[in-house]
Amino acid sequence: MSDAPNPTASRDHFLRIVPQWSHFGPPLRPSPDDTAVVQRAASRLSADAHVVVLGLTPETIGCIWPAETQLSAVDHSADMIRALWPPVRGPAHARVVLADWCAMPIPSETIDLVAGDGCYVLQKYPDGYDALTRDVARILRPGGAFIIRVFIRPDRSESIADIARALERGEIGGVHALKLRLLASLHGASGAGSRLDDAWQAWKSMPALPDARKGTRGWTAEEIAGIETYRGMDARYFLPTLAELRQTLGNYVREVECAYGRHELADRCPTLVLIKDA
């Protein structure tokens, strides 16, 4: 494990989420469609490819990688590493590195593929997004790929009242989609980004969930506990529009694919395939 500078944005709040992770679902957790984009890229790698995974997402690390893949999972929370490493599935010789994604202790132009899931969400926009993308581009070989699932907000914002009405009409399939809609609606309402406690406050301001939906898929007590973890949390998520995101990423890598899953709100969490040109 390598030491690293203190990150600009803490991910330690995810420790409160880890116990509920098995109860999470799309769009906050990658779907099989999302993971398939990474898997397709993995199948095209050479047997001894060098891969970096940003974070410890089990679905990404657990892809089927070529036999001799040298995989390094990079995360800047020692507590998260203790909670989630070693992985249940992954390359036999995978290693974990304690480091900031914006300053990885990895030599330049040595990596064939970088993959991550939702990694930008805690990076301030635009400076944090720029810093992360710049370091990913630095470590990629020319022609190397960056595959990242991103969370974005729609071009046209919806209000909390709009979301409450949709909830009452039964138009929101589960609490995971509700969280993402709330975070997008609140973006910039109390400062840059979306404060997690504000999303919890909005959830609590809504009419009670109809009895007919309580305990059903998407609305079990275990799933609802995920939004309850937002209570009192000052961490902020940053959700640019897709156009804003592309403007930042395009300074360092070239987009070749924008893939969408088939789950609820898939249009707000596409997986981008980006290439570092020679």
Side-chain angles (χ1 to χ4, degrees), residues 260-272:
Y260 294 91
R262 291 168 288 182
H263 52 79
E264 185 175 11
L265 291 192
D267 60 316
R268 299 195 191 186
C269 47
T271 299
L272 303 181

Side-chain angles (χ1 to χ4, degrees), residues 14 17 20-21 23-31 34 57-59 117-119 121 149-152 174-184 196 199 223-227 229-230 237 239 263-266 268-269:
F14 281 119
I17 296 172
Q20 282 88 35
W21 184 246
H23 302 292
F24 273 46
L28 297 185
R29 183 172 181 167
S31 72
D34 302 320
T57 304
E59 289 85 351
D117 187 83
C119 302
V121 75
R149 193 168 74 103
V150 296
F151 294 109
I152 58 175
V175 70
H176 314 299
L178 173 65
K179 285 187 283 188
L180 189 54
R181 288 178 72 163
L182 290 175
L183 290 164
L196 298 192
E223 289 172 307
I224 291 173
I227 197 168
T229 63
Y230 287 2
Y237 284 177
L239 305 170
H263 52 79
E264 185 175 11
L265 291 192
R268 299 195 191 186
C269 47

Side-chain angles (χ1 to χ4, degrees), residues 1-58:
M1 229 183 278
S2 303
D3 292 330
N6 290 329
T8 57
S10 171
R11 293 182 66 243
D12 289 341
H13 78 283
F14 281 119
L15 285 171
R16 293 171 61 177
I17 296 172
V18 168
Q20 282 88 35
W21 184 246
S22 63
H23 302 292
F24 273 46
L28 297 185
R29 183 172 181 167
S31 72
D33 289 336
D34 302 320
T35 305
V37 181
V38 181
Q39 185 62 72
R40 286 197 298 272
S43 69
R44 295 192 291 265
L45 293 172
S46 62
D48 59 349
H50 288 65
V51 172
V52 165
V53 173
L54 305 178
L56 304 170
T57 304

Side-chain angles (χ1 to χ4, degrees), residues 113-252:
L113 184 146
V114 176
D117 187 83
C119 302
Y120 282 105
V121 75
L122 271 174
Q123 303 293 326
K124 291 183 178 180
Y125 183 86
D127 294 346
Y129 277 59
D130 186 87
L132 193 159
T133 313
R134 181 172 60 246
D135 209 50
V136 166
R138 178 188 63 79
I139 66 173
L140 279 174
R141 302 181 194 275
F146 179 29
I147 303 178
I148 182 75
R149 193 168 74 103
V150 296
F151 294 109
I152 58 175
R153 72 183 195 276
D155 293 329
R156 182 178 178 275
S157 179
E158 58 183 345
S159 69
I160 295 299
D162 292 334
I163 299 170
R165 284 190 289 269
L167 184 63
E168 287 187 280
R169 293 193 297 262
E171 296 172 357
I172 300 178
V175 70
H176 314 299
L178 173 65
K179 285 187 283 188
L180 189 54
R181 288 178 72 163
L182 290 175
L183 290 164
S185 177
L186 292 163
H187 206 264
S190 63
S194 305
R195 183 170 172 263
L196 298 192
D197 184 65
D198 291 341
W200 179 82
Q201 296 282 357
W203 154 246
K204 286 304 179 182
S205 74
M206 292 184 173
L209 189 69
D211 289 339
R213 306 193 72 190
K214 292 178 181 176
T216 62
R217 184 176 181 180
W219 301 103
T220 65
E222 292 83 4
E223 289 172 307
I224 291 173
I227 197 168
E228 294 295 339
T229 63
Y230 287 2
R231 181 177 184 177
M233 293 175 69
D234 288 326
R236 291 178 180 270
Y237 284 177
F238 292 84
L239 305 170
T241 65
L242 184 56
E244 290 170 341
L245 177 71
R246 282 172 164 161
Q247 184 176 11
T248 303
L249 271 58
N251 292 327
Y252 301 98

Side-chain angles (χ1 to χ4, degrees), residues 77-102:
S77 169
D79 289 334
M80 287 289 290
I81 290 172
R82 282 191 288 270
L84 294 174
W85 197 268
V88 175
R89 292 184 296 125
H93 303 295
R95 67 174 186 138
V96 66
V97 179
L98 177 64
D100 181 356
W101 294 330
C102 299

Side-chain angles (χ1 to χ4, degrees), residues 65-83:
W65 301 96
E68 301 302 320
T69 297
Q70 298 183 47
L71 186 149
S72 299
V74 180
D75 199 278
H76 66 224
S77 169
D79 289 334
M80 287 289 290
I81 290 172
R82 282 191 288 270

